[in-house]
Amino acid sequence: MAFQKEPPHTHGTGSSSAVVLVNLGTPDEPTRSAVRRYLKQFLSDPRVVEIPRAIWWWILHLIILPFRSGQSAKKYASIWTDEGSPLKIHTQKQALLLRGALGERGHRDVTVAMAMRYGSPSLPDVLARLKRDGCTRIVVLPAYPQYSGTTTGSIYDAVFDHFKTVRNVPDLRLVRDYHDDDGYIDALKKSVLAHWEANGRGEKLVMSFHGVPKRTLLLGDPYHCECHKTARLLATKLKLKEDDYIVTFQSRFGKAEWLQPYTAPTVQALAKQGVRRVDVICPGFTSDCLETLEEIAMEVRHDFLTAGGKEFHYIPCLNESPAWIAALAELAEHQMIGWPTMITGAQHDVAKKDLDKARVAALKLGAEN
Ligand SMILES: C=CC1=C(C)c2cc3[nH]c(cc4nc(cc5[nH]c(cc1n2)c(C)c5CCC(=O)O)C(CCC(=O)O)=C4C)c(C)c3C=C
Ligand SMILES: [Fe+2]
Ligand SMILES: [Fe+2]
């Protein structure tokens, strides 16, 4: 393996810091071919599907890709916006706002970029660009509050794989999880309270997390436990009693057992038990996406109403909420302790201008959306 040729190392020049907000990824378009390309990359990752490669290759190419690509493309089309995929748009806006928030907190010369684990902009491309631009310190901040080998673990793989051929590897800080981070839990609490203030309150708060195969829990993946801890902390902040909320898992894929209880059958059972209204929040998703906008806000809503429920309220993800952006800034800042990014005095005015520019850019993105 050959290592990259680097420009000669010069002490103290051209050195700066960066934060990369990394999300899962999404197709480039809501079409069969674009979804197929995305699913192929995603579902070929051995962290995501742990079936022996020689068997999985045939299942993926002969069954999953030919059938699922078209079905999923239709679902994507139902949530697509003029600006593109909701997941990508929210992640872009979060990165812009995070840049502004870091400026406001006194961090100059911090580049904030967003990247996707699958699809574009790809994580290796973004890391290569940052290095070319002279970033010698990089914080990798996954958009997943709860650690799972299938998500955060896979981002770690991509980061390490990318730097395998790099001679002068940057100072790297990787955020592993923030399932119990006070800023994150507080942002969730604020979003539930705002929803209740505007719409009244349901009889049950359903906290629905993306599922993973049950086998991964038995093999030591901490994801299930971290989801339950997030739920418990949020319930405590909201002063909920045990009966007021329930934790469920959605988005099951394939025939094997996944984490239980599953979201759709749970809300159907609640409707049948006479629960008239449920409020559903997806705390593990920090941006609205296919799994929240289509699966929860459309499919699961339909399941609840047809089982006899009367009112279904979906509480949107944290997206660009100010409390969430502040929580992200604090998470990033914590990783940058000891890095020369802080400014004082006169430079603060410059940072304020950066913040205004970031806000205008984010608003413009929102207006066009
Ligand atoms: C096949 C196994 C899958 C595992 C394991 C899995 C874990 C997992 N995923 C997320 C977050 C998201 N997943 C999204 C879409 C999605 N997920 C899977 C499969 C697995 N996910 C598929 C096949 C898809 C694509 C859509 C479909 O065909 O159903 C998304 C939304 C992306 C978007 O473009 O909007 C997110 C976000 C987590 C957090 C997780 C494990 C903890
Ligand atoms: Fe998924
Ligand atoms: Fe789904």
Side-chain angles (χ1 to χ4, degrees):
M1 190 191 295
F3 294 101
Q4 283 170 4
K5 186 170 186 298
E6 303 257 349
H9 176 62
T10 45
H11 284 280
T13 56
S15 133
S16 65
S17 307
V19 178
V20 192
L21 185 60
V22 191
N23 215 327
L24 179 92
T26 195
D28 291 327
E29 294 168 19
T31 59
R32 193 175 198 286
S33 58
V35 171
R36 187 187 166 102
R37 223 181 312 128
Y38 161 72
L39 288 180
K40 186 174 164 198
Q41 188 193 5
F42 182 11
L43 298 174
S44 299
D45 183 342
R47 288 275 195 179
V48 176
V49 180
E50 283 186 51
I51 296 173
R53 294 298 88 186
I55 301 169
W56 178 239
W57 192 94
W58 292 101
I59 301 174
L60 180 62
H61 286 81
L62 296 181
I63 303 166
I64 309 289
L65 293 177
F67 291 99
R68 196 168 182 110
S69 307
Q71 289 163 3
S72 288
K74 280 195 197 120
K75 293 182 180 181
Y76 272 109
S78 74
I79 58 140
W80 214 258
T81 74
D82 291 345
E83 286 307 303
S85 171
L87 180 93
K88 197 187 246 175
I89 303 297
H90 287 304
T91 314
Q92 270 167 347
K93 287 190 198 171
Q94 287 164 349
L96 277 169
L97 290 165
L98 175 57
R99 171 69 191 88
L102 286 172
E104 199 170 42
R105 295 167 80 95
H107 294 274
R108 279 284 291 154
D109 285 338
V110 179
T111 304
V112 179
M114 72 99 171
M116 295 292 166
R117 173 62 185 90
Y118 313 104
S120 71
S122 89
L123 184 52
D125 285 355
V126 171
L127 293 173
R129 192 189 77 219
L130 291 173
K131 177 142 169 65
R132 256 196 327 271
D133 291 350
C135 291
T136 52
R137 298 173 290 268
I138 301 178
V139 176
V140 177
L141 178 45
Y144 316 115
Q146 295 76 23
Y147 175 94
S148 164
T150 63
T151 51
T152 316
S154 171
I155 289 178
Y156 279 32
D157 287 349
V159 172
F160 298 144
D161 277 352
H162 173 73
F163 285 116
K164 256 184 192 160
T165 57
V166 171
R167 190 173 299 276
N168 189 2
V169 176
D171 186 348
L172 287 171
R173 309 270 162 97
L174 288 82
V175 179
R176 182 191 176 278
D177 70 87
Y178 39 95
H179 70 284
D180 56 358
D181 175 72
D182 200 53
Y184 160 64
I185 303 288
D186 204 56
L188 289 171
K189 175 190 127 180
K190 286 197 167 92
S191 110
V192 176
L193 289 181
H195 190 88
W196 284 348
E197 218 156 90
N199 304 281
R201 182 174 163 169
E203 290 147 76
K204 204 63 140 185
L205 180 65
V206 178
M207 301 186 197
S208 176
F209 292 84
H210 197 300
V212 291
K214 185 177 170 192
R215 189 168 167 266
T216 63
L217 163 67
L218 303 177
L219 291 172
D221 194 298
Y223 177 74
H224 177 260
C225 178
E226 293 193 7
C227 292
H228 275 278
K229 186 157 179 205
T230 297
R232 184 166 47 75
L233 292 172
L234 175 58
T236 306
K237 272 210 190 240
L238 290 168
K239 300 192 173 65
L240 300 184
K241 293 194 289 294
E242 233 172 73
D243 245 18
D244 295 336
Y245 76 99
I246 184 162
V247 177
T248 62
F249 295 92
Q250 64 181 82
S251 314
R252 183 177 171 205
F253 179 98
K255 299 231 185 316
E257 183 181 354
W258 276 36
L259 298 182
Q260 301 235 31
Y262 301 137
T263 304
T266 302
V267 299
Q268 283 171 323
L270 287 172
K272 287 185 180 135
Q273 287 156 25
V275 173
R276 291 172 58 81
R277 169 174 164 180
V278 288
D279 298 330
V280 183
I281 187 169
C282 301
F285 297 87
T286 49
S287 293
D288 272 306
C289 63
L290 185 75
E291 309 300 79
T292 61
L293 298 171
E294 195 278 334
E295 185 172 343
I296 299 297
M298 295 184 196
E299 280 183 42
V300 174
R301 174 192 303 275
H302 178 262
D303 295 338
F304 180 68
L305 298 178
T306 50
K310 296 292 172 247
E311 259 188 85
F312 181 97
H313 286 244
Y314 168 63
I315 303 174
C317 290
L318 294 173
N319 297 332
E320 295 84 46
S321 87
W324 170 230
I325 302 301
L328 278 175
E330 207 160 294
L331 285 167
E333 186 171 56
H334 187 73
Q335 299 296 324
M336 296 193 291
I337 290 172
W339 286 0
T341 63
M342 290 297 285
I343 53 150
T344 48
Q347 281 178 303
H348 202 256
D349 291 343
V350 185
K352 278 257 181 258
K353 276 190 201 134
D354 281 358
L355 175 69
D356 291 340
K357 264 195 263 166
R359 278 193 182 133
V360 170
L363 282 172
K364 207 169 136 225
L365 247 154
E368 285 163 6
N369 199 4

